[in-house]
Amino acid sequence: MCSRIQWNSKGQPVLVGRNMDWTDWQTKMGTKLRTMPAGVEREGLVDENPLKWTSKYGSVITTVWDCATADGLNEAGLAANLLYLAEANYGERDSSLPGVSIALWVQYFLDTCATVAEAVEAAKACQVVPFQLVHMGENVNAPLHLSLSDASGDSAIIEILDGKPHIHHGPEFTVLTNSPVYDEQLVLLKQYDGLGGTKPIPGTMSAEDRFARSAYYLTRLPEQPASYQVAVAGVLSVIRNAATPFGGSDPAQPNNATTIWRTICDCTNKRYYFEFCHMPNVVWVDLDDLKLSAGASEQLFDLDADNDAAGDVSGKFKPAEPLVFQKANTPVTWTPAA
C-alpha cells in the first residue's frame, strides 16, 4: 500500500507527493501532525546497543497510532516517507550495530540529516528493528520501506531485505509503491509505452500498476508550470491518480487498500501539505513559521478534530506532551478514542 512520487524541473521546487493507503480507513490510523524541535536527545528503543542522537534539525511530521513517524519534512529540506513492503525482512538482531526501532526510522533521518547523501550513509551504520502490528488479523513485523528526497532533487529508496539495507540512490528514483521489491519494479516498468515498451499504461489498483502509472504521468507534467500553485497542483494530479478509492481495500491483497491521507513536501520552500481523503480541504504549514528551535516544546495539530481547517494552519498547532515512540519488538496496542 502507498505511493510516492518526486518531481522537479529546472527552476522549479522539488515536490514530493505520497499517498498513505491502509485497510482500516475509518480510523485513519489516528493520524496527526506534530512539530519536532531541534535539541532533543533520543535513543533507538531497542534492548541492546540502542542508537543515540540529539536532533540537529527541527521537523514537521505525520504520526500514526500515536507512536511512530510515518512521513515528514525537516528545516534543511529533507523529506522522508514510510511505505508498505510485504517483502521486508529485518533478519536477526546484530547487537554490534546501533539499533533503531522502525517507529523512529524516519525521525532519525529528519533529526540528523540535511541531505539524502547524509541519510544514505547514516542508514548503512545502524540496524532497523521492527515493531509488531496487527494487520488483516495477523501479528506481523511492520513490513515497510523508505524514500528520501532533498532540496537538490536527490532521492533514495531504502529496503531492508535479508536483514540488510538495499539502497537505490540517485535523482532518477522518482517513484515508489509496494511489491515487488524495487529492482523488480524497475524491470517491470520498461514494458510500458513511453517508458521503454509497447504495453498501454495500466489502470488497476495493484502496486506495480500504480508504479507504472505514476512514472508515466510524471513525464507529462509541464517543465515550466504557469505558477507555483500550478506546480503543486500538478504533483497532486499525479499522486491522486495513484490513489485507491474508499471501498477499494482487498482483504486477500494487503498491497491494495484505500488511500486515507496524502502529503506534499516542498523541499525547496520548506512547506508541508496534508489532506485527509475523506475531506475536501488541504492544509499546509511553512516550517519557518513553526517553533522548531532547541528548547521549544512539541506541538500538535489534529485535522480530524478540526474539520473546518483549510489553508495555512501554522497558527493552529498547540503544545503537546512528547510523542512516545513504539519500542522495537513490541506490539502496537493503539485504539481510536471514543
Side-chain angles (χ1 to χ4, degrees), residues 236-283:
L236 277 170
S237 73
V238 176
I239 197 62
R240 284 170 172 164
N241 190 280
T244 301
F246 298 148
S249 296
D250 184 345
Q253 300 182 69
N255 281 330
N256 297 334
T258 294
T259 303
I260 59 175
W261 53 259
R262 181 176 295 112
T263 67
I264 301 285
C265 293
D266 180 344
C267 298
T268 303
N269 297 299
K270 319 302 189 299
R271 177 176 282 184
Y272 191 72
Y273 296 85
F274 180 90
E275 66 174 357
F276 277 125
C277 296
H278 73 294
M279 298 166 60
N281 27 336
V282 178
V283 301

Side-chain angles (χ1 to χ4, degrees), residues 179-314:
S179 299
V181 296
Y182 205 68
D183 279 331
E184 295 178 31
Q185 287 280 28
L186 294 176
V187 172
L188 291 171
L189 191 66
K190 296 177 182 179
Q191 65 186 311
Y192 295 109
D193 185 28
L195 301 169
T198 59
K199 288 185 177 181
I201 298 300
T204 79
M205 298 180 295
S206 72
E208 57 266 35
D209 284 4
R210 286 185 277 111
F211 193 104
R213 201 158 61 247
S214 297
Y216 177 82
Y217 285 117
L218 271 177
T219 70
R220 295 303 188 263
L221 290 179
E223 290 188 6
Q224 299 299 319
S227 66
Y228 173 75
Q229 287 79 7
V230 171
V232 175
V235 172
L236 277 170
S237 73
V238 176
I239 197 62
R240 284 170 172 164
N241 190 280
T244 301
F246 298 148
S249 296
D250 184 345
Q253 300 182 69
N255 281 330
N256 297 334
T258 294
T259 303
I260 59 175
W261 53 259
R262 181 176 295 112
T263 67
I264 301 285
C265 293
D266 180 344
C267 298
T268 303
N269 297 299
K270 319 302 189 299
R271 177 176 282 184
Y272 191 72
Y273 296 85
F274 180 90
E275 66 174 357
F276 277 125
C277 296
H278 73 294
M279 298 166 60
N281 27 336
V282 178
V283 301
W284 64 81
V285 293
D286 291 308
L287 270 69
D288 288 344
D289 295 334
L290 300 175
K291 298 176 181 179
L292 299 176
S293 59
S297 66
E298 290 184 25
Q299 296 203 321
L300 175 72
F301 173 66
D302 183 0
L303 180 59
D304 201 36
D306 190 350
N307 288 179
D308 294 328
D312 186 351
V313 295
S314 304

Side-chain angles (χ1 to χ4, degrees), residues 6 43-44 51 56 72 127 137 148 158 165 192 196 215 224-225 228 232 243 266 285 311 333:
Q6 176 181 304
E43 69 160 50
L51 184 67
K56 183 178 180 180
Q127 184 178 25
L148 297 158
I158 305 177
Y192 295 109
Q224 299 299 319
Y228 173 75
V232 175
D266 180 344
V285 293
T333 59

Side-chain angles (χ1 to χ4, degrees), residues 64-267:
V64 292
W65 303 309
D66 293 329
C67 71
T69 303
D71 194 270
L73 175 69
N74 75 10
E75 55 190 337
L78 182 73
N81 327 94
L82 272 183
L83 287 79
Y84 185 92
L85 179 66
E87 292 86 351
N89 181 346
Y90 300 95
E92 296 296 323
R93 175 74 176 108
D94 179 0
S95 59
S96 68
L97 288 172
V100 59
S101 167
I102 201 164
L104 281 151
W105 199 23
V106 165
Q107 196 62 52
Y108 171 57
F109 294 127
L110 296 178
D111 282 351
T112 62
C113 300
T115 66
V116 170
E118 290 178 19
V120 165
E121 291 307 307
K124 298 174 183 177
C126 65
Q127 184 178 25
V128 181
V129 186
F131 58 67
Q132 297 168 355
L133 56 87
V134 176
H135 188 230
M136 307 308 295
E138 296 184 8
N139 199 2
V140 298
N141 287 333
L144 301 166
H145 55 175
L146 175 79
S147 66
L148 297 158
S149 310
D150 68 25
S152 76
D154 201 5
S155 174
I157 308 300
I158 305 177
E159 298 178 329
I160 307 299
L161 308 173
D162 302 320
K164 298 179 181 179
H166 290 238
I167 302 173
H168 293 78
H169 180 196
E172 68 271 26
F173 301 116
T174 57
V175 177
L176 179 64
T177 58
N178 318 110
S179 299
V181 296
Y182 205 68
D183 279 331
E184 295 178 31
Q185 287 280 28
L186 294 176
V187 172
L188 291 171
L189 191 66
K190 296 177 182 179
Q191 65 186 311
Y192 295 109
D193 185 28
L195 301 169
T198 59
K199 288 185 177 181
I201 298 300
T204 79
M205 298 180 295
S206 72
E208 57 266 35
D209 284 4
R210 286 185 277 111
F211 193 104
R213 201 158 61 247
S214 297
Y216 177 82
Y217 285 117
L218 271 177
T219 70
R220 295 303 188 263
L221 290 179
E223 290 188 6
Q224 299 299 319
S227 66
Y228 173 75
Q229 287 79 7
V230 171
V232 175
V235 172
L236 277 170
S237 73
V238 176
I239 197 62
R240 284 170 172 164
N241 190 280
T244 301
F246 298 148
S249 296
D250 184 345
Q253 300 182 69
N255 281 330
N256 297 334
T258 294
T259 303
I260 59 175
W261 53 259
R262 181 176 295 112
T263 67
I264 301 285
C265 293
D266 180 344
C267 298

Side-chain angles (χ1 to χ4, degrees), residues 19-34:
N19 293 332
M20 171 61 83
D21 304 348
W22 197 249
T23 52
D24 184 11
W25 64 270
Q26 289 94 340
T27 68
K28 297 173 284 297
M29 306 171 77
T31 301
K32 301 176 182 68
L33 299 184
R34 274 185 178 261

